[in-house]
Amino acid sequence: MYSKKILFALLGICLHLFALGQQIVNKKSLGAFDTQTHSKLEEINALVFKPEGYETVPWPKLPDSINFSLFASDPKAKKLEENKLAINPLLAFRNPISFKKGDIYIGYDQNWFRLSNYYKYNNDKKSVEESRRWTNSINADPKSIGPSYAGLQYLEYVNRDALKLINADTALIFTSNTKFKFKDTVDNYEMITVYLLKFDLGVGKVYYYYPIGERMKALQEINQTWGVVRFKPDSEFTHPDHSGHIPKPKEPDLYYGKFAFLNNPDQVKREEENYRKKNLNGQAAKLVLEGVNFARVKDWGNAKTKYEEALKIDPNHALAYLQLTWLALEQNMEKDARNYWASLSKLQPTSPETWFVKGMIEKRFNQLDNAFITFDKVLADFDSLYYKAHLEKASIYVMRNDQVAAEKEFEAALLIFKKESEKAKRGEKYRMMQLYDFYLAKMQYARFLGSKQEFEKGKNQLEDFLREYEANQNSISLGIPKTIYGRIYPENLADVHFWLGIFYVNLKDENKCVEHFKKAKELGKVLPAEVENLLKI
């Protein structure tokens, strides 16, 4: 004999299968709705209507004091979420809610695709038509949609007769594994998503939230409210109003296929030409990267060959000229460095990197006054956060034996990293700083302090770097925000440990110095003979 619990479970499965067999949406006409449009989904040429029997749900505005997010690992995150839910319990559903009838809630949103985005972001070899077909097909394939939206499980396609009622090209219905705690401390709601596709334009999604165990009720509501989102006739599509966007677009979007009638032919031609140049630029950039890898191991000949190959593909590739300038500097070829810089400055006259490398040419060939002026220009005219200019000014002060001024420049460079990191932790807009750059700044300052025999202070700088490095490595697993990005090479870490060993030798801490020298050796550092002898003792 089956228990009552098992019988009810089997009954639920049978009812669910019956519902699928009967089709979820079997309407021959639209249900009853308010005659006035509730809202517009302009990006996908759709209108939203309130179903009869539903009420509009107010959406309380959160006060500024709690209208932000924290990482889940933050001790304050749970309390912040509780405060938000106390003001607006509907936030538990994670999507804006617009309509309610009894214990059923409906929300909606939109996604769109554009030919403009193809020209901006496409990096494969698909043509425009191939991209169009691929975009339409992948957005109509439940096997592709389900994994894209965590927890969605496909239920059924909607029949063509029902699609005609709302001018959709395809509609799919998904259930979800995700549960929600609505006005409760335990899971008590779940969701069904109606996924509405308009080929060449975008997707409308309608979310139905219902109490756990009430799926049949929710499916009936989907059938009765078919038409809450409706696409207008394709010929009525006009450019959405983007006047309030920040920054305001200079030109309207471009569209695929049946909506291409809105495209300006001259704009399309310009985008096609820019796309062609971008592809050439990408090919050239790949060669430049190969050249950089050769330069990194001081294989100057192959590095130069790669940079020159890049310029054959894209004669205006600024990065190739920049790397050739650095290459000439490495080889003390003043005339070549200045010639390459002249080409670079025509292509990128306002780039801080352009002017920084000019200062490096002047510094290398002993025009220190000019170099100092150029580094000041980088900071004043182009980028006040360009920390390398501070480091080079510090270097010039060291050459002039002005230790006090040099230290101020080192500290100014490191202050940039500190301030941007603090902004990131506060959730403010900040500059993404690179770990390798932080390594360079810390290493140069530490070695400067070592030259002044300030060993404790120099050691602290490098240990601070290692702490930041560990935090950077573990930020994802710890759920804390990254404040410095990128990576450094093993040889860079080896140098940090080697110099920590040097500092601890001078601080007469034998255990620590041996520990760091061993670590440097493990990371590939070739140690001086006297250090190797120390490790053998």
Side-chain angles (χ1 to χ4, degrees):
M1 293 290 293
Y2 293 115
S3 70
K4 286 185 178 181
K5 189 173 183 180
I6 293 175
L7 283 172
F8 278 120
L10 290 171
L11 178 61
I13 293 171
C14 291
L15 288 172
H16 175 56
L17 292 174
F18 176 77
L20 293 182
Q22 294 297 311
Q23 293 188 325
I24 296 169
V25 179
N26 52 42
K27 298 280 288 183
K28 301 298 182 184
S29 62
L30 291 174
F33 293 87
D34 281 2
T35 54
Q36 287 189 329
T37 302
H38 173 76
S39 63
K40 298 178 181 180
L41 300 177
E42 289 188 333
E43 300 290 349
I44 59 170
N45 196 37
L47 302 174
V48 180
F49 295 87
K50 183 170 75 70
E52 190 175 87
Y54 278 76
E55 58 183 287
T56 302
V57 176
W59 193 260
K61 186 178 184 302
L62 297 176
D64 292 340
S65 59
I66 62 171
N67 194 15
F68 60 92
S69 298
L70 293 172
F71 280 84
S73 60
D74 192 308
K76 299 177 182 177
K78 184 177 179 181
K79 185 62 178 176
L80 176 66
E81 192 66 19
E82 290 173 354
N83 290 340
K84 290 180 178 180
L85 289 171
I87 295 172
N88 185 359
L90 295 170
L91 289 169
F93 293 134
R94 304 174 198 170
N95 284 302
I97 301 299
S98 295
F99 310 124
K100 171 194 175 184
K101 186 175 82 170
D103 51 11
I104 301 288
Y105 294 84
I106 300 178
Y108 56 86
D109 67 10
Q110 60 182 328
N111 293 338
W112 54 94
F113 22 92
R114 299 288 190 258
L115 176 59
S116 309
N117 289 342
Y118 167 86
Y119 288 130
K120 286 179 184 176
Y121 306 119
N122 186 57
N123 291 315
D124 56 36
K125 295 183 179 180
K126 291 187 186 75
S127 66
V128 168
E129 183 58 24
E130 287 169 337
S131 176
R132 170 185 173 252
R133 291 177 181 175
W134 179 85
T135 301
N136 285 334
S137 64
I138 201 169
N139 280 284
D141 182 1
K143 293 180 181 177
S144 299
I145 298 166
S148 300
Y149 298 93
L152 288 187
Q153 295 181 334
Y154 168 64
L155 288 180
E156 74 169 30
Y157 278 106
V158 175
N159 68 67
R160 296 300 304 173
D161 290 336
L163 293 179
K164 291 176 183 177
L165 297 174
I166 64 169
N167 192 31
D169 292 318
T170 293
L172 304 96
I173 299 177
F174 295 88
T175 185
S176 173
N177 291 330
T178 306
K179 310 298 181 189
F180 306 92
K181 297 178 177 68
F182 180 54
K183 297 182 179 180
D184 208 332
T185 57
V186 297
D187 292 334
N188 61 348
Y189 263 75
E190 50 194 352
M191 174 184 75
I192 291 175
T193 300
V194 180
Y195 186 92
L196 308 169
L197 174 63
K198 171 57 63 176
F199 287 141
D200 299 336
L201 192 61
V203 172
K205 287 172 285 184
V206 186
Y207 307 105
Y208 289 81
Y209 297 92
Y210 58 93
I212 291 175
E214 297 286 344
R215 179 177 294 181
M216 287 300 299
K217 181 179 177 180
L219 295 175
Q220 290 168 4
E221 287 300 319
I222 291 172
N223 186 46
Q224 292 302 317
T225 59
W226 188 250
V228 65
V229 171
R230 305 171 208 170
F231 295 102
K232 295 190 292 183
D234 297 349
S235 60
E236 293 182 12
F237 181 53
T238 57
H239 289 296
D241 181 8
H242 291 166
S243 59
H245 287 203
I246 300 174
K248 183 180 178 180
K250 294 180 180 179
E251 294 184 295
D253 284 341
L254 297 174
Y255 305 93
Y256 283 114
K258 58 188 175 184
F259 297 99
F261 66 86
L262 283 176
N263 293 346
N264 180 325
D266 291 336
Q267 184 185 350
V268 173
K269 287 180 182 178
R270 288 197 305 274
E271 291 296 339
E272 286 175 346
E273 179 60 16
N274 290 336
Y275 182 70
R276 186 189 68 81
K277 289 179 179 178
K278 186 185 79 168
N279 281 345
L280 291 178
N281 185 279
Q283 296 172 39
K286 184 178 179 182
L287 289 167
V288 170
L289 180 59
E290 292 175 12
V292 168
N293 288 333
F294 280 121
R296 186 169 157 259
V297 295
K298 303 190 186 308
D299 186 345
W300 311 128
N302 277 321
K304 185 176 182 181
T305 297
K306 291 296 180 182
Y307 300 149
E308 290 174 342
E309 287 177 5
L311 288 173
K312 287 178 183 177
I313 293 174
D314 181 2
N316 294 320
H317 197 77
L319 186 57
Y321 280 114
L322 175 64
Q323 294 302 331
L324 282 166
T325 307
W326 284 115
L327 193 66
L329 267 179
E330 288 285 352
Q331 298 175 287
N332 288 314
M333 300 166 66
E334 181 178 2
K335 183 177 178 181
D336 285 352
R338 293 188 184 279
N339 286 339
Y340 289 136
W341 184 85
S343 298
L344 172 65
S345 64
K346 291 175 184 176
L347 296 170
Q348 292 188 336
T350 60
S351 166
E353 187 78 9
T354 297
W355 290 92
F356 177 74
V357 74
K358 178 179 186 289
M360 293 301 291
I361 294 171
E362 292 162 342
K363 181 187 170 195
R364 174 66 58 86
F365 300 108
N366 207 32
Q367 296 177 315
L368 298 185
D369 289 340
N370 289 344
F372 205 93
I373 291 170
T374 301
F375 293 136
D376 270 340
K377 180 180 179 69
V378 170
L379 292 164
D381 295 350
F382 301 116
D383 186 356
S384 63
L385 301 181
Y386 203 86
Y387 82 97
K388 292 180 186 177
H390 285 296
L391 294 182
E392 293 306 325
K393 287 175 66 180
S395 174
I396 292 172
Y397 278 128
V398 170
M399 295 166 70
R400 291 173 169 173
N401 203 31
D402 189 340
Q403 307 291 333
V404 174
E407 185 150 8
K408 287 181 180 178
E409 293 295 339
F410 280 121
E411 290 174 348
L414 289 170
L415 185 61
I416 290 171
F417 289 91
K418 181 180 178 182
K419 285 186 174 180
E420 297 309 301
S421 177
E422 288 172 349
K423 288 179 187 177
K425 290 174 182 176
R426 292 194 300 265
E428 299 173 5
K429 186 177 180 181
Y430 69 102
R431 171 78 59 86
M432 289 174 58
M433 308 300 286
Q434 295 295 310
L435 188 61
Y436 182 74
D437 292 339
F438 189 51
Y439 154 79
L440 287 178
K442 284 289 192 182
M443 180 62 77
Q444 289 185 36
Y445 187 32
R447 293 182 68 170
F448 165 75
L449 293 169
S451 71
K452 295 171 61 184
Q453 298 189 5
E454 295 184 29
F455 304 120
E456 182 70 25
K457 195 172 178 180
K459 179 263 297 182
N460 289 343
Q461 291 298 318
L462 295 184
E463 288 183 338
D464 180 58
F465 169 77
L466 288 179
R467 282 191 293 272
E468 187 65 45
Y469 172 75
E470 290 299 324
N472 183 77
Q473 297 297 101
N474 299 323
S475 62
I476 295 177
S477 61
L478 294 175
I480 58 177
K482 267 192 176 186
T483 57
I484 296 182
Y485 292 77
R487 65 189 181 96
I488 58 172
Y489 297 104
E491 57 261 38
N492 306 138
L493 270 181
D495 275 341
V496 172
H497 285 287
F498 176 75
W499 280 96
L500 276 169
I502 296 292
F503 282 122
Y504 276 114
V505 166
N506 286 281
L507 292 170
K508 297 180 173 53
D509 188 330
E510 182 178 337
N511 290 334
K512 283 287 187 179
C513 79
V514 168
E515 173 190 331
H516 286 288
F517 283 142
K518 284 183 176 179
K519 188 64 177 176
K521 187 174 182 179
E522 289 171 9
L523 290 165
K525 180 76 173 178
V526 178
L527 301 177
E530 56 269 30
V531 175
E532 286 283 9
N533 292 334
L534 173 65
L535 297 181
K536 292 175 183 177
I537 297 175

